[in-house]
């Protein structure tokens, strides 16, 4: 392979020919990514993957749940996140002004997570769920503080780790791509321990993080999976897995094999990850 790599590198450095080969390689890369997004959508597409992760965790909770800044509560694959929590005592959605903001639904409240939290919401919910909102909030530490203050038990966060800039002019911006360590430190500051964290780290598309933190870790031991991923998130996306120490590379391979088996047998068709 090194010989082939050397030949390709030499050809790319040639005038005219190099430009053509580069264009061909980029085309192969783009088409390969599109194929993988279709063939392995629940492993590669971040929304599908994060939905699958939530399905593993959400039925555990039997108290009051809120989807913060959840707009219409849609999961982008034809369902609603309320259905992911079948045992919840109640389910609330919060939104704020602007595009994809407050709708006036019967189970919806108006909430600015960058402002001071209304006192009646402190400790009101067992689960505070927030899907891909924190990157759009400039005062992210205030937002995390409010999410934690609303929960007397568990916070579930879905955040982008590697994604293009995306925003709505006049409505919301795009500011952050927090790392696993960043999220853990912010949550610890408010009395929460990260017990489960995962990523759809892949070579083809956007990478998300899925984080579950709780005030009472022992309460959930044996009920939800416990794991952390700080050591290797992002290495697959940038093709660095083989450059890691042998032990860490083996951990990543075993992690991939385990999840591939789950994906193949989850519904008998290989449609879930």
């Amino acid at each position: 392979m090194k010989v082939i790599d050397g030949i390709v590198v030499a050809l790319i450095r040639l005038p005219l020919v190099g430009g053509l080969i580069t264009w061909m390689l980029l085309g192969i890369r783009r088409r390969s990514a599109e194929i993988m997004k279709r063939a392995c959508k629940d492993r590669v597409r971040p929304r599908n993957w994060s939905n699958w992760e939530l399905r593993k965790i959400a039925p555990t909770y039997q108290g009051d749940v809120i989807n913060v800044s959840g707009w219409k509560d849609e999961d982008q694959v034809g369902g609603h996140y309320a259905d992911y929590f079948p045992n919840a005592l109640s389910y609330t959605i919060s939104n704020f002004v602007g595009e994809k903001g407050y709708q006036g639904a019967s189970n919806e409240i108006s909430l600015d997570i960058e402002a001071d939290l209304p006192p009646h919401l402190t400790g009101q919910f067992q689960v505070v769920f927030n899907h891909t909102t924190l990157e759009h909030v400039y005062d992210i530490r205030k937002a995390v503080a409010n999410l934690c203050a609303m929960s007397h038990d568990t916070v579930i966060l879905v955040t982008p780790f590697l994604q293009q800039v995306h925003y709505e002019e006049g409505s919301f911006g795009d500011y952050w791509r927090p790392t696993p360590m960043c999220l853990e430190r912010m949550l610890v500051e408010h009395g929460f321990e990260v017990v489960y964290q995962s990523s759809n780290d892949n070579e083809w598309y956007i990478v998300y993080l899925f984080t579950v933190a709780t005030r009472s870790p022992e309460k959930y031991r044996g009920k939800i999976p416990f794991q952390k991923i700080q050591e290797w998130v992002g290495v697959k996306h940038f093709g660095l897995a083989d450059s890691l120490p042998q032990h860490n590379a083996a951990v990543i391979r075993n992690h991939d094999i385990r999840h591939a088996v789950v994906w193949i047998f989850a519904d008998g068709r290989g449609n879930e990850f």
Side-chain angles (χ1 to χ4, degrees), residues 15-247:
L16 300 178
V17 174
L20 177 60
I21 293 176
T22 300
W23 176 79
M24 292 173 62
L25 290 174
L26 288 173
I28 293 171
R29 166 71 182 178
R30 284 193 292 267
R31 293 314 310 159
S32 297
E34 290 301 315
I35 290 169
M36 291 302 295
K37 282 157 57 178
R38 293 176 60 187
C40 304
K41 63 180 181 179
D42 292 325
R43 287 187 290 164
V44 174
R45 293 185 183 182
R47 177 69 70 158
N48 296 61
W49 168 81
S50 60
N51 289 348
W52 175 248
E53 288 290 279
L54 185 62
R55 288 190 189 101
K56 296 191 300 187
I57 304 293
T60 304
Y61 301 100
Q62 300 178 0
D64 299 305
V65 178
I66 183 170
N67 181 359
V68 176
S69 300
W71 196 32
K72 296 180 179 180
D73 197 51
E74 296 170 341
D75 67 359
Q76 306 303 315
V77 293
H80 294 84
Y81 286 119
D83 298 328
Y84 289 49
F85 294 88
N87 301 312
L89 182 64
S90 70
Y91 190 87
T92 304
I93 306 166
S94 83
N95 283 300
F96 194 49
V97 297
E99 184 72 19
K100 299 184 179 180
Y102 185 73
Q103 306 289 310
S106 58
N107 64 332
E108 183 182 17
I109 63 173
S110 179
L111 178 65
D112 179 2
I113 58 175
E114 288 187 276
D116 291 339
L117 186 70
H120 71 277
L121 292 179
T122 300
Q124 181 68 33
F125 302 96
Q126 180 189 21
V127 177
V128 173
F129 169 56
N130 182 252
H131 196 300
T132 53
T133 296
L134 290 176
E135 72 270 26
H136 301 300
V137 180
Y138 182 71
D139 193 350
I140 189 172
R141 297 191 69 170
K142 179 72 170 182
V144 171
N146 282 335
L147 295 177
C148 292
M150 283 191 287
S151 172
H152 62 78
D153 189 89
T154 296
V155 171
I156 301 175
L157 304 176
V158 182
T159 51
F161 179 71
L162 295 168
Q163 186 178 16
Q164 77 280 9
V165 173
H166 56 290
Y167 62 94
E168 293 284 348
E169 193 69 46
S171 183
F172 56 85
D174 192 359
Y175 307 103
W176 310 108
R177 299 293 182 271
T179 66
M181 289 183 181
C182 174
L183 292 168
E184 181 169 27
R185 184 162 180 177
M186 286 192 291
L187 290 162
V188 166
E189 288 177 348
H190 301 288
F192 284 80
E193 179 179 333
V194 173
V195 293
Y196 180 77
Q197 201 164 50
S198 60
S199 169
N200 70 316
D201 190 9
N202 68 91
E203 300 89 342
W204 310 104
Y205 200 39
I206 294 164
V207 176
Y208 276 4
L209 301 176
F210 184 91
T211 303
V212 180
T214 180
R215 296 187 186 272
S216 307
E218 291 306 315
K219 177 181 176 181
Y220 291 103
R221 193 172 297 276
K223 296 181 179 179
I224 65 174
F226 275 39
Q227 74 169 25
K228 295 184 182 180
I229 55 164
Q230 292 179 356
E231 294 86 355
W232 62 76
V233 63
V235 296
K236 288 179 62 179
H237 186 85
F238 292 106
L240 301 174
D242 291 340
S243 66
L244 291 175
Q246 186 173 0
H247 169 73

